[in-house]
Amino acid sequence: MTLDLRVPIGMMFGLVGALLTVYGFFSDPAIYDVSLGINVNLWWGLVILVVGLLFLELARRGARTAQPTA
């Protein structure tokens, strides 16, 4: 059994990205006046979520192409 670090890293980024995206989606728009009206929580949450999904996809591809050693 091998440990692929991309799986827990991808899950961590995915969870944090999802939480930040949900918070950005449901938060009060008035708090974004300081950031020129840009919902930074929503946009960075989406970026982090995509990075997490990318890590999980790379881990899935790596597990598929790995040859078992006997």
Side-chain angles (χ1 to χ4, degrees), residues 22-46:
V22 169
Y23 178 76
F25 189 71
F26 289 113
S27 61
D28 184 24
I31 65 173
Y32 301 111
D33 289 341
V34 176
S35 62
L36 303 175
I38 299 170
N39 190 341
V40 292
N41 289 326
L42 176 66
W43 288 108
W44 275 108
L46 289 172

